[in-house]
Amino acid sequence: MKERPALAYNRDTLPFPENRVPRGRYLENWDDVDPARHPFAWDEKEEAHLRALVHEWVPPVLSGMEGRWQGEYWCESQVDAIIRERYGDWAQGWNWCYRHGGVIGSWVSGAGSVTTPEETADRMVGALLEWREWLERLAQRFVELAPPPEASPEERSWHLERACVRLVTSALDSGAEGGWHGQAARVLNWFLTTTGMEQTEAARAVDAAIGGRFRSWVAPEPGVIESVGEDLAVGLTGRAPYRDHRQWAALEEFHDRH
């Protein structure tokens, strides 16, 4: 039997401790990730520099299944620290994989994504850009779905109900698997805070509206999503959504296309 090569590094003595950059609040508030608050300069020079940084922290010998992927997970934690140190905590969603309710397909986990230095850097760069693009699309979506300031209570209720339905549906369509409903709740919380609601109040309203009706690995029927949307709108405005949708037909069509 061929002897396996010994690991060429010691996880406990490497000069890049895992707590070099303490984690901030993990994607808790929209202000923490809002692209408008966190500029991101990206060009070929920046990409090349980031790739070089990542190359340095890919272990020369991988642990694999027999080593419980110790080296691969260690590498992922160091890459995460590099990204957060360089760009800020908004970037820490770069590895929020669809398998865990997230939106990232370019990076799965340390075990599945850390290979050679070049391939690891490819996946990391793809994941970071994927995350930033998703945040920018989401920010635009929030603007489009927000109730206008002059809306009556009934009209505001309608806008909130429609926003909830569309954002939940987007989470379902994102490819997220286990924990997709966590993404839906997080995005709804973020959206409500962009309309001026306080974070704690938004979280309470979302929890009350969903009421345990969403579960991992289960796609709810459209009627259930509609019901959650209506419950959220009524809970926040005290009014049922305005039912004569004819005047909103153009807006409905616009949101359905996007």
Side-chain angles (χ1 to χ4, degrees):
M1 180 177 178
K2 186 177 180 180
E3 185 176 348
R4 292 174 58 85
L7 295 180
Y9 61 92
N10 184 324
R11 185 172 189 267
D12 297 322
T13 59
L14 278 170
F16 197 103
E18 290 189 38
N19 65 350
R20 176 178 176 179
V21 183
R23 273 193 170 273
R25 297 173 298 188
Y26 185 69
L27 311 181
E28 183 178 338
N29 299 323
W30 176 245
D31 286 352
D32 298 334
V33 297
D34 182 0
R37 293 174 177 266
H38 304 281
F40 178 54
W42 185 261
D43 54 24
E44 291 183 359
K45 182 178 179 180
E46 176 62 21
E47 179 176 345
H49 183 68
L50 182 59
R51 284 176 176 274
L53 290 175
V54 171
H55 287 176
E56 295 178 10
W57 296 101
V58 178
V61 180
L62 299 178
S63 303
M65 184 172 64
E66 291 184 18
R68 298 184 180 181
W69 294 283
Q70 181 185 31
E72 290 86 337
Y73 284 123
W74 176 87
C75 176
E76 181 179 32
S77 70
Q78 307 317 308
V79 170
D80 178 63
I82 290 170
I83 289 173
R84 289 185 292 110
E85 182 177 52
R86 191 161 187 82
Y87 304 112
D89 274 345
W90 72 264
Q92 64 185 309
W94 72 275
N95 60 350
W96 188 23
C97 173
Y98 70 93
R99 292 185 180 177
H100 308 294
V103 298
I104 302 302
S106 301
W107 184 280
V108 178
S109 67
S113 300
V114 175
T115 53
T116 67
E118 193 61 36
E119 287 178 346
T120 303
D122 284 345
R123 295 181 181 118
M124 178 278 303
V125 167
L128 177 62
L129 297 181
E130 192 177 352
W131 174 243
R132 181 68 184 196
E133 289 165 7
W134 183 75
L135 289 176
E136 290 175 353
R137 290 196 306 271
L138 193 63
Q140 182 59 39
R141 192 71 163 149
F142 286 170
V143 172
E144 294 168 354
L145 292 171
E150 70 280 3
S152 68
E154 290 83 2
E155 291 168 343
R156 179 175 174 80
S157 183
W158 180 84
H159 279 276
L160 291 173
E161 188 262 350
R162 289 290 84 195
C164 179
V165 169
R166 284 174 168 81
L167 293 173
V168 169
T169 301
S170 292
L172 272 173
D173 293 342
S174 69
E177 297 177 346
W180 72 269
H181 56 300
Q183 179 193 147
R186 188 186 302 276
V187 169
L188 285 174
N189 283 330
W190 286 348
F191 169 71
L192 291 177
T193 61
T194 66
T195 69
M197 191 174 299
E198 194 273 330
Q199 174 67 29
T200 302
E201 181 186 2
R204 186 164 48 242
V206 171
D207 288 344
I210 294 176
R213 286 179 283 186
F214 295 157
R215 291 180 171 80
S216 288
W217 309 102
V218 178
E221 295 294 329
V224 174
I225 300 177
E226 294 278 352
S227 179
V228 168
E230 183 165 345
D231 287 350
L232 179 70
V234 172
L236 292 174
T237 67
R239 306 291 184 91
Y242 187 67
R243 290 303 180 185
D244 184 358
H245 289 185
R246 287 172 295 180
Q247 66 170 309
W248 305 108
L251 188 58
E252 286 267 12
E253 184 180 354
F254 173 79
H255 288 319
D256 287 340
R257 288 199 310 269
H258 299 82

